[in-house]
Amino acid sequence: MEQLRTIRNGAKARPTFSAAEMERRLAALRAHMAEKRVDACLFTSYHNINYFSDFLYCAFGRPFGLVVTHEGQTTITPNVDGAQPWRRTFGDNLVYTDWHRDNFFAAVKALVPDGWRVGVEFDHISVETLRKLQGALPTSELVDAGKPAMALRMVKSAEEIAWIKEGARVADIGGAAAVEAIAVGVPEHAVALNATQAMVREIARSQPHVELMDTWSWLQSGLNSDGAHNPVTSRRIERGDIMVLNCFPMMAGYYTALERTLFAEACSDAHLRLWRINVEVHEAGLALIRPGARCRDIAAELNAIYEGYGLLETRSFGYGHSFGVLSHYYGREAGLELREDVDTVLEPGMVLSMEPMITIPEDQPGAGGYREHDILVVTEDGAENITGFPYGPEHNIVGG
């Protein structure tokens, strides 16, 4: 039985971005390849395959790839997915079958001659995959392409920024739908479902050419608010509960987010004090995001505010991260995070969040997790906040 095949079924799908935008990305990658004498790149991650080909895969236990040479680009996909990868790919597509084990590497060998200098994602491929790749290309030199690709993704184009703004608009719609659903006695999952359904419907209405996948929401209430990524549960909201709302629309692999602290009907004095402190840090952080600012310096300034209130030890993670090709299960431009160990200097075209969070243990006054989250686009002379949903005690004591 054949190891490889091509499948052409239907016409190419409407792309997310223009051909000029995709060629811009590939030209930047090929310039790096020329400088470093790289003959081909083999990408295997969700984020880089999506960024350079406009195709977002669903692994389901099978490997995927994108080979970029100086002459063209081809996605490598399993036979089970039919022609959908070809329809979505900006470029060509090669399919491998299940008739022989490791046919994925047969596809790699068909596209990458042995002896070439090949860029791969050292931060993504497993040891097993690396060994099989070395077996398939025994005389090739493998070099890292993951960090250089991340650097290319960190500065967004005008088309990307417009797409991220659209996602932020949809997130605001999800936030409004969540607030409509919040009431004492309503379970977390019911609120989250209302928000998710509103976002999916809006994406389908406003962007009918986009595949509808991966949009989701969380509502974390009471004790469940203490972690940033705690799953939604069936816990029912009680009066006075602290809640953290998370709305995450996903459009063509591009993640945006709205996160807000809310209270159900009432907020105790202890909670109100802590909430206002976190809002103070949030607003200070929004003012610090500007071109020329260094990530670690922003973190240090915000740390000083928490420290002044004796709350620094309650901070649970960095103050923000980049946006773009990103999701809860893939992608992270680690070079653009607002942390004490990141030296990156902000520049126009970068997109990142401001999202301070503190967590107070259950046995202390004001217990719970507090988090606000806005998305900002760094401009030539400052930053544009593209999140419209209000934050703070004046707006988000809800459900009464």
Side-chain angles (χ1 to χ4, degrees):
M1 302 294 288
E2 61 189 345
Q3 290 181 285
L4 307 175
R5 59 173 53 156
T6 57
I7 305 176
R8 305 287 184 265
N9 188 35
K12 286 278 191 177
R14 176 179 165 181
T16 309
F17 300 102
S18 70
E21 165 63 11
M22 298 305 296
E23 292 291 2
R24 179 198 67 80
R25 301 178 187 189
L26 290 160
L29 173 63
R30 288 178 175 128
H32 166 78
M33 291 166 60
E35 179 185 353
K36 300 298 183 181
R37 297 180 295 104
V38 173
D39 299 300
C41 284
L42 169 63
F43 293 111
T44 50
S45 67
Y46 287 96
H47 40 283
N48 280 322
I49 291 176
N50 180 254
Y51 183 77
F52 291 111
S53 76
D54 198 26
F55 165 60
L56 183 64
Y57 68 78
C58 178
F60 245 109
R62 291 177 171 88
F64 286 71
L66 169 67
V67 171
V68 180
T69 68
H70 290 279
E71 289 73 40
Q73 62 278 352
T74 304
T75 49
I76 302 173
T77 60
N79 192 46
V80 68
D81 285 353
Q84 186 265 353
W86 173 77
R87 291 193 296 269
R88 296 298 320 181
T89 295
F90 182 77
D92 206 351
N93 171 252
L94 181 62
V95 171
Y96 68 91
T97 70
D98 283 348
W99 303 121
H100 303 274
R101 185 173 297 279
D102 291 334
N103 276 351
F104 173 81
F105 297 97
V108 173
K109 290 172 65 175
L111 296 171
V112 182
D114 190 21
W116 276 16
R117 183 173 162 90
V118 182
V120 297
E121 298 174 78
F122 285 161
D123 61 351
H124 182 263
I125 59 175
S126 66
V127 173
E128 180 181 36
T129 300
L130 178 62
R131 288 173 178 166
K132 289 181 178 180
L133 185 58
Q134 290 169 331
L137 304 174
T139 67
S140 289
E141 179 185 4
L142 305 182
V143 299
D144 183 47
K147 287 185 174 62
M150 178 187 71
L152 295 178
R153 300 197 318 270
M154 276 167 47
V155 178
K156 273 60 181 177
S157 67
E159 285 192 33
E160 284 185 282
I161 291 170
W163 194 243
I164 294 168
K165 287 181 177 180
E166 175 66 5
R169 183 188 71 82
V170 173
D172 287 343
I173 290 171
V179 169
E180 288 178 0
I182 290 172
V184 171
V186 173
E188 290 178 357
H189 73 266
V191 176
L193 282 171
N194 207 53
T196 299
Q197 289 171 356
M199 291 189 292
V200 170
R201 290 188 179 108
E202 177 58 20
I203 295 168
R205 184 200 66 81
S206 61
Q207 307 292 338
H209 60 290
V210 171
E211 295 171 334
L212 300 173
M213 57 186 292
D214 297 329
T215 293
W216 87 107
S217 306
W218 289 323
L219 185 78
Q220 303 152 337
S221 64
L223 181 62
N224 199 36
S225 68
D226 68 346
H229 303 143
N230 293 354
V232 68
T233 74
S234 297
R235 181 187 183 275
R236 294 183 180 275
I237 297 168
E238 300 176 7
R239 177 177 168 79
D241 267 349
I242 187 171
M243 300 173 288
V244 179
L245 170 66
N246 307 261
C247 295
F248 306 115
M250 287 290 300
M251 294 163 37
Y254 276 70
Y255 160 106
T256 47
L258 169 69
E259 302 173 22
R260 288 289 184 261
T261 304
L262 307 102
F263 280 81
E265 295 188 356
C267 178
S268 74
D269 290 343
H271 283 102
L272 186 61
R273 172 182 172 272
L274 292 163
W275 194 5
R276 291 194 186 281
I277 291 171
N278 209 52
V279 166
E280 178 184 339
V281 174
H282 181 61
E283 291 178 340
L286 294 175
L288 289 171
I289 295 179
R290 60 186 184 275
R294 192 169 58 159
C295 290
R296 68 186 308 161
D297 295 336
I298 294 173
E301 287 198 45
L302 299 181
N303 281 346
I305 300 175
Y306 278 139
E307 191 170 25
Y309 288 106
L311 293 171
L312 184 57
E313 65 185 19
T314 69
R315 198 195 113 198
S316 58
F317 59 88
Y319 289 101
H321 58 79
S322 66
F323 276 76
V325 179
L326 171 70
S327 174
H328 56 308
Y329 60 90
Y330 66 83
R332 176 56 68 95
E333 291 160 13
L336 185 53
E337 294 198 30
L338 299 177
R339 294 169 33 141
E340 297 83 352
D341 58 349
V342 176
D343 290 320
T344 301
V345 176
L346 302 186
E347 59 182 277
M350 290 180 170
V351 182
L352 68 163
S353 59
M354 173 50 57
E355 48 177 311
M357 179 177 180
I358 55 174
T359 299
I360 309 301
E362 186 69 4
D363 60 352
Q364 295 183 19
Y370 302 75
R371 186 165 76 256
E372 314 296 344
H373 179 296
D374 287 12
I375 303 173
L376 296 99
V377 178
V378 181
T379 63
E380 294 293 336
D381 55 2
E384 178 187 0
N385 189 332
I386 62 173
T387 299
F389 197 87
Y391 58 82
E394 294 74 23
H395 304 284
N396 288 332
I397 300 175
V398 300

